[in-house]
Amino acid sequence: MKLKALIIDDEPLAHKVILEYAKNIPFLDIVSQCHLATEAMGILREKEIDLIFLDINMPKIKGLDFLRTLNHKPIVIITSAYEEYALESFELEVCDYLLKPFRFERFFKAANKASETFQLTQVKSHVPNSNENETNSSHLFIKSDKKLIQIDLNDIYFLESYGNYVKVWMKEEYHLTARTLSSFIGKIPETKFFRIHKSYIINKLHIDYIEGNSVMMKNAKLLAIGKNQRQDFKRFIEY
């Protein structure tokens, strides 16, 4: 299945490079292009888009500001000449961040990652009660260091977003896995785990104490509670 992609970039040369690279990737189909993020809204309404190649510094509205306006985001790969926006981009759960000028090998790697993400969402949408089956499980499989590791959910202290990776923290160590924090939603029971911050999902079982707007975990890690999560977290711990 081909990924239907949209390029949003104010530089014609950037379009040319992506189009040239995409010709050599069989599962990638550039179905539309625009030079301003404001033009993209109409395209997203009219066409089915699976993947966006998104520049950041553009006239009228910046790429990340545009991304924040989307309620239902396609997979997003940032293409930018500025590395300082990488952390902010990953906090918005983009798939990858390509720093211009990028070579074909790096582009191909990002496209493969987007394809894997897309296939995962397709599988979930076609499996009845997939979330229920996952959350009823007491174990979780993650890819780390070229191995597929099975982890007991009760052994997980918290999950930490780390760029385009997630640290799965145990008591005194963590496993690093190439995925987003949101990809764990539906795979871990919401009665035990709570996203206290855009960068953290914690296991209630391993909370030591809560003080102010911070949570001290039993492995001596102090984590911030996000402003938008405070009320819901209070209800969660009182449940």
Side-chain angles (χ1 to χ4, degrees), residues 46-86:
E46 294 169 6
K47 295 185 178 182
E48 185 179 343
I49 300 295
D50 306 312
L51 171 65
I52 297 176
F53 291 101
L54 180 65
D55 187 26
I56 290 179
N57 277 340
M58 292 183 287
K60 295 187 179 179
I61 181 170
K62 304 294 184 184
L64 296 186
D65 292 332
F66 163 74
L67 196 53
R68 291 186 183 94
T69 68
L70 300 180
N71 293 323
H72 304 288
K73 299 182 183 70
I75 300 164
V76 176
I77 294 175
I78 296 294
T79 56
S80 175
Y82 302 91
E83 61 183 344
E84 60 264 31
Y85 298 105

Side-chain angles (χ1 to χ4, degrees), residues 34-234:
C34 62
H35 294 84
L36 296 172
T38 49
E39 300 168 354
M41 292 306 298
I43 296 171
L44 291 173
R45 281 194 295 266
E46 294 169 6
K47 295 185 178 182
E48 185 179 343
I49 300 295
D50 306 312
L51 171 65
I52 297 176
F53 291 101
L54 180 65
D55 187 26
I56 290 179
N57 277 340
M58 292 183 287
K60 295 187 179 179
I61 181 170
K62 304 294 184 184
L64 296 186
D65 292 332
F66 163 74
L67 196 53
R68 291 186 183 94
T69 68
L70 300 180
N71 293 323
H72 304 288
K73 299 182 183 70
I75 300 164
V76 176
I77 294 175
I78 296 294
T79 56
S80 175
Y82 302 91
E83 61 183 344
E84 60 264 31
Y85 298 105
L87 180 58
E88 185 181 357
S89 297
F90 284 119
E91 287 176 346
L92 290 170
E93 297 173 354
V94 302
C95 179
D96 210 337
Y97 194 100
L98 296 179
L99 193 61
K100 297 175 181 176
F102 45 84
R103 296 178 179 272
F104 174 76
E105 292 80 3
R106 183 65 184 88
F107 180 86
F108 184 58
K109 182 179 179 181
N112 267 318
K113 189 175 178 183
S115 179
E116 289 173 4
T117 302
F118 179 71
Q119 289 173 34
L120 215 84
T121 58
Q122 293 298 105
V123 168
K124 286 180 182 178
S125 66
H126 288 89
V127 177
N129 300 321
S130 60
N131 282 354
E132 182 181 344
N133 291 336
E134 291 287 0
T135 53
N136 283 339
S137 173
S138 61
H139 294 79
L140 182 71
F141 281 93
I142 63 165
K143 279 186 178 180
S144 181
D145 194 25
K146 298 181 181 180
K147 294 179 287 189
L148 195 59
I149 303 171
Q150 182 175 212
I151 300 175
D152 189 316
L153 290 175
N154 288 331
D155 291 337
I156 298 175
Y157 277 60
F158 65 95
L159 308 171
E160 178 185 6
S161 178
Y162 187 70
N164 56 339
Y165 293 85
V166 169
K167 291 181 179 180
V168 181
W169 278 93
M170 319 299 280
K171 186 175 182 180
E172 296 176 352
E173 62 178 3
Y174 63 81
H175 297 291
L176 193 64
T177 184
R179 56 193 292 184
T180 65
L181 205 59
S182 291
S183 70
F184 284 89
I185 305 298
K187 293 182 175 293
I188 51 178
E190 60 182 22
T191 55
K192 294 182 180 179
F193 289 85
F194 188 88
R195 190 167 188 169
I196 62 166
H197 188 276
K198 59 189 175 185
S199 298
Y200 306 115
I201 296 177
I202 67 169
N203 186 344
K204 181 165 66 172
L205 182 67
H206 297 297
I207 295 174
D208 189 4
Y209 62 83
I210 300 164
E211 185 174 20
N213 295 318
S214 300
V215 177
M216 177 63 78
M217 303 303 291
K218 289 181 180 177
N219 61 350
K221 301 292 183 181
L222 186 65
L223 310 177
I225 305 169
K227 183 178 180 180
N228 295 331
Q229 289 80 21
R230 290 169 192 170
Q231 290 301 317
D232 288 338
F233 181 55
K234 183 179 179 182

